[in-house]
Amino acid sequence: MSDIVVVGSYGAGLTVRLDRAPLAGETVVGSDFTVAHGGKGSNQAVGAARLGARTLLCTAVGEDHYGANAFELWNEEGVDTSLTRRLPGSTMVGVILVDAQGENRIAIVPGVLADFDAGALQGLAERLDGVGVMLVGLEIPVATAHEALRIGRAAGVTTVLNPAPAPVETLPAGMLELVDHITPNRTEAATLTGLPPDTDPAALASHSVFDAVPNVVLTLGAEGVLLRGTDGHERVPAPVVDVVDTTGAGDSFNAAYAVALSRGEAPAAAAKYAVRAAAFSVTRPLPIPSLPYQSDL
């Protein structure tokens, strides 16, 4: 039995550190290069497991050394991978540029995740008995995420959609009606609503595109979180920390938010817990090493 089910991605993260990101047509010499575990779904599953949740991960990796390394990670972290598939082809790879201020830019090659269709969710419904929260991301095909949410709603599980990366195309009709909590950042909210990224956060969170979702959890980086619930808006400030690397901060937030919900916390309390987790994560480099344990919080 699991507390949390994560339906999402795994990918190898190839990180380059440099003083600043290159302009178009420019070459910039970096200071460091690392290969590490990544993928939002995997990061979120490991983050939830570190915070004490029994976590099941549903994803796909390739039949390559990156895929083999992923299973070693999940075994070490205590993540249940009985619904994770190994498919012919390459594991997803992300190339991450991190500048001197800790800001990141990411390019992704999906690999076998492009073939992670709704058929790969076979057996998911049977594993949802007793599950508190299903956390779904969009580094997998949108149709697969849609089907996962449908399965979760049919099972009576609390559904959380992390719309990252936000698709340029409109989400399928009825998809957001299956979502109890949506957790976009400012850029993702702007993409989903069609508004400029510098739109007032309250206007983003209150946009009609989210009308079917009871809880909008808009993450704002150093500005914290804006919650839009059925009773209005609530701000949750972020702790002030020295930023080393923001890569994975959103994953840490989503993992902790899902864990808090699975423990019966209300959205505001869950967001306060998740903001602490995200603030801890940005003080360390690389996604997996930066994910906090309960003792860190």
Side-chain angles (χ1 to χ4, degrees):
M1 183 179 293
S2 303
D3 300 314
I4 293 172
V5 171
V6 179
V7 182
S9 59
Y10 171 83
L14 282 60
T15 300
V16 177
R17 296 186 178 279
L18 29 65
D19 288 337
R20 61 177 179 82
L23 302 174
E26 181 185 23
T27 299
V28 174
V29 177
S31 59
D32 186 52
F33 172 73
T34 56
V35 179
H37 298 289
K40 293 180 182 299
S42 175
N43 291 347
Q44 291 163 4
V46 171
R50 288 188 178 182
L51 294 175
R54 296 169 296 181
T55 307
L56 172 66
L57 174 63
C58 184
T59 188
V61 296
E63 295 177 342
D64 54 16
H65 70 281
Y66 291 132
N69 290 343
F71 277 93
E72 291 180 5
L73 166 71
W74 298 324
N75 183 59
E76 292 172 358
E77 297 287 346
V79 174
D80 183 345
T81 58
S82 55
L83 290 184
T84 291
R85 318 293 184 188
R86 292 201 75 176
L87 302 177
S90 62
T91 300
M92 184 180 76
V93 171
V95 179
I96 306 155
L97 303 181
V98 182
D99 66 22
Q101 285 70 49
E103 293 296 329
N104 63 76
R105 294 165 175 82
I106 305 173
I108 295 172
V109 180
V112 299
L113 283 180
D115 301 319
F116 185 58
D117 58 19
L121 301 179
Q122 184 176 0
L124 176 60
E126 291 75 20
R127 298 296 303 276
L128 295 183
D129 183 33
V131 170
V133 176
M134 175 186 285
L135 174 57
V136 179
L138 293 183
E139 281 184 331
I140 58 177
V142 171
T144 308
H146 190 181
E147 177 63 8
L149 291 168
R150 187 197 66 77
I151 293 170
R153 175 56 58 85
V157 174
T158 297
T159 55
V160 180
L161 176 63
N162 177 218
V168 176
E169 301 82 9
T170 303
L171 291 173
M175 182 171 176
L176 291 184
E177 295 176 6
L178 303 172
V179 176
D180 296 310
H181 305 257
I182 190 167
T183 60
N185 63 22
R186 190 192 299 265
T187 301
E188 292 151 3
T191 299
L192 291 170
T193 61
L195 298 174
D198 60 355
T199 299
D200 179 73
L204 286 172
S206 300
H207 193 275
S208 59
V209 75
F210 300 128
D211 281 353
V213 184
N215 301 282
V216 178
V217 186
L218 180 60
T219 61
L220 301 168
E223 298 174 41
V225 174
L226 177 67
L227 296 171
R228 194 277 291 150
T230 55
D231 297 327
H233 296 81
E234 181 173 350
R235 281 272 191 173
V236 177
V240 178
V241 296
D242 293 325
V243 176
V244 173
D245 183 358
T246 60
T247 309
D251 299 333
S252 182
F253 179 92
N254 277 274
Y257 187 76
V259 168
L261 290 179
S262 75
R263 295 173 179 168
E265 297 284 356
K272 291 174 183 177
Y273 180 67
V275 163
R276 290 167 55 207
F280 177 89
S281 74
V282 301
T283 65
R284 297 185 178 186
L286 301 177
I288 294 296
S290 72
L291 294 169
Y293 294 88
Q294 180 59 40
S295 59
D296 295 316
L297 303 183

